[in-house]
Amino acid sequence: MNAHNFQYSKDIQPLVYHDTTGYPVFQAGIDSIANFCAKRNIQLLLVYSPWKKEVLTPDKISEIKTVSNRLENRYKKSFLDLSSLPIESRYFVDGGHLYKNGATILSEKVSNYLQKGKI
């Protein structure tokens, strides 16, 4: 798959995501992954990625921040909050997925974090 085949189009409408399972199911899934990693001595890193700001309502921003705060409190040093990383809207495929250039920016930040031995 070549990332250059997926060019940004002004015609793409942002996707709207709805939580159909609720936070407890989401948390149980994260806990399951964390337990899997712990049993195998795999270092877990949860990365809170940026969102395309134009697609988020104030209520959604508040909801996402509540969830990220819960995860950060629960997983302490295994949580990397990059939600405020300034990535231009043109680098987003939709509200939460990045094209190659945006993914490169995000990946470089994660790499820098890992190289500093923060985890």
Side-chain angles (χ1 to χ4, degrees):
M1 192 178 286
N2 184 339
H4 294 290
N5 292 338
F6 301 95
Q7 299 299 315
Y8 178 76
S9 169
K10 300 287 184 196
D11 299 329
I12 293 176
Q13 295 298 312
L15 298 177
V16 177
Y17 299 96
H18 299 283
D19 181 3
T20 59
T21 60
Y23 182 79
V25 173
F26 169 77
Q27 184 63 65
I30 298 294
D31 288 344
S32 175
I33 293 168
N35 290 333
F36 176 90
C37 291
K39 288 178 184 175
R40 291 160 179 82
N41 290 329
I42 298 170
Q43 185 65 52
L44 174 68
L45 179 61
L46 301 172
V47 179
Y48 177 21
S49 301
W51 289 76
K52 186 174 180 181
K53 304 301 183 227
E54 302 88 76
V55 303
L56 297 176
T57 65
D59 287 342
K60 185 52 95 177
I61 292 170
S62 176
E63 181 181 314
I64 290 170
K65 191 63 181 166
T66 298
V67 170
S68 71
N69 287 340
R70 287 180 182 175
L71 290 171
E72 188 169 17
N73 290 333
R74 189 174 188 101
Y75 295 104
K76 310 279 185 239
K77 293 181 181 178
S78 295
F79 186 83
L80 178 58
D81 185 352
L82 295 179
S83 62
S84 60
L85 187 64
I87 295 183
E88 295 177 41
S89 292
R90 65 189 174 107
Y91 292 138
F92 283 88
V93 174
D94 55 35
H97 297 92
L98 296 163
Y99 286 111
K100 180 181 178 182
N101 291 342
T104 300
I105 294 167
L106 182 66
S107 297
E108 286 174 354
K109 292 294 183 184
V110 172
S111 176
N112 289 341
Y113 180 83
L114 294 172
Q115 288 175 5
K116 291 178 183 176
K118 301 270 183 162
I119 187 166

